[in-house]
Amino acid sequence: MGLKWIDSRDIAIALLEEHPDVDPQSIHFVELRDWILALDEFDDDPNHCGEKVLEAVQLCWMEEKD
């Protein structure tokens, strides 16, 4: 079963593994969305993503990185 937009923490963990040296606060939402869509395990409709979803992923990523 692939990652969905609602899986903020799991997406954040995957991004942290994929981009360990990146500061999540430095990423623009357009780039963040592209990186999520590029994850092998991501499997959801690209059109179901909004700013709130990206904010949630970014916050989880920041928490996981600490």
Side-chain angles (χ1 to χ4, degrees):
M1 189 163 154
L3 293 173
K4 305 292 183 195
W5 289 116
I6 60 169
D7 302 323
S8 301
R9 179 137 336 261
D10 293 330
I11 291 172
I13 291 168
L15 288 170
L16 180 58
E17 291 171 357
E18 195 81 18
H19 307 281
D21 298 328
V22 172
D23 176 1
Q25 293 181 356
S26 70
I27 300 300
H28 297 283
F29 281 164
V30 172
E31 189 173 23
L32 178 58
R33 181 180 180 275
D34 290 344
W35 284 7
I36 293 169
L37 294 175
L39 292 171
D40 287 339
E41 57 268 36
F42 186 77
D43 181 31
D44 204 352
D45 185 341
N47 297 320
H48 288 163
C49 173
E51 193 170 310
K52 288 193 183 299
V53 172
L54 295 173
E55 282 178 4
V57 170
Q58 187 180 40
L59 286 172
C60 289
W61 190 0
M62 288 165 31
E63 290 170 4
E64 291 296 324
K65 192 159 176 76
D66 285 344

